Amino acid sequence: MPGVRVDPTTEARVRSAMSSTPRADFLPPEVRHLSAADHPVTIGWNATNSQPSTVARMLGLLDVQPGDRVLDVGSGSGWTTAVLATLTGPEGTVIGVERVPELVDYGRERLAKTGSHAEIRAAIVGRLGLPDEAPFDRILVSAQATTIPVRLEAQLAESGRLVVPVAGVMTIVDIRDGIPCRREDAGRYSFVPLEEND
């Protein structure tokens, strides 16, 4: 299966955003020496900070534009949330949602200390995403779904895009004329499970 093509300009923007948002700033002190390693890093609370090459690929597929409204599902340490905010610029909106209370606090602290304009909220039991604040131009999911989460598809704006790992395959959903268009990227990915039935 061929990979989905990402525009070189988008790839360059993602590299720049990741470089200006150091991963080390979002890692606990005892594992900051691992910030340059291209593998997941355990941050506590049964969570990891994702592998940088995977984050870069997901953000390239997501193709965030300046001024976009972005939802980050499974914000974890807040690193990807902060990178998203760099991509949207100050005119954009980035909201992370996280189900682990300790990670909500940790991510908020990291965002505040790094001066990011993004925010992180506690996920609401029984609710996937933020349906009351939809639509979003882009939705990123950093947890593995078993099937395409249609509740998140419904939160996309026209011409919006969702990137989510589904059963190990990175899946891209574009909304065109109100209809989801679904594609799969090459490669296999491993994430913590998305709790779709909270």
Side-chain angles (χ1 to χ4, degrees):
M1 176 176 62
V4 175
R5 183 180 178 276
V6 175
D7 182 81
T9 302
T10 298
E11 289 183 334
R13 289 185 64 237
V14 168
R15 284 195 301 271
S16 176
M18 291 178 70
S19 294
S20 63
T21 313
R23 186 188 193 197
D25 290 346
F26 292 84
L27 295 177
E30 62 272 17
V31 292
R32 281 184 191 151
H33 65 284
L34 299 173
S35 64
D38 191 30
H39 59 69
V41 174
T42 299
I43 58 173
W45 308 290
N46 295 317
T48 61
N49 180 281
S50 296
Q51 182 172 341
S53 59
T54 298
V55 172
R57 182 61 180 169
M58 292 178 78
L59 294 179
L61 294 170
L62 196 63
D63 192 23
V64 173
Q65 298 300 309
D68 276 351
R69 294 189 76 241
V70 181
L71 177 65
D72 183 23
V73 178
S75 54
S77 71
W79 179 47
T80 303
T81 314
V83 177
L84 286 166
T86 301
L87 289 167
T88 68
E91 65 272 28
T93 301
V94 178
I95 305 172
V97 290
E98 173 56 55
R99 65 181 180 83
V100 179
E102 294 87 351
L103 283 174
V104 173
D105 293 340
Y106 182 86
R108 285 174 174 169
E109 176 192 336
R110 296 289 88 208
L111 291 177
K113 287 197 172 180
T114 57
S116 176
H117 70 272
E119 64 174 298
I120 293 175
R121 301 184 191 173
I124 299 171
V125 175
R127 186 174 298 179
L128 185 58
L130 293 173
D132 293 344
E133 300 195 37
F136 294 95
D137 300 300
R138 298 288 187 268
I139 300 177
L140 179 70
V141 182
S142 297
Q144 183 162 250
T146 53
T147 59
I148 292 175
V150 293
R151 287 186 287 168
L152 291 178
E153 282 186 337
Q155 295 174 45
L156 284 171
E158 178 61 32
S159 299
R161 176 171 290 183
L162 164 70
V163 172
V164 53
V166 178
V169 177
M170 201 61 69
T171 303
I172 304 98
V173 180
D174 291 317
I175 301 297
R176 299 290 181 266
D177 298 321
I179 299 171
C181 172
R182 300 165 177 170
R183 295 175 289 163
E184 293 182 349
D185 193 29
R188 303 286 298 181
Y189 297 85
S190 179
F191 286 85
V192 297
L194 176 66
E195 299 211 2
E196 300 163 78
N197 298 313
D198 281 7

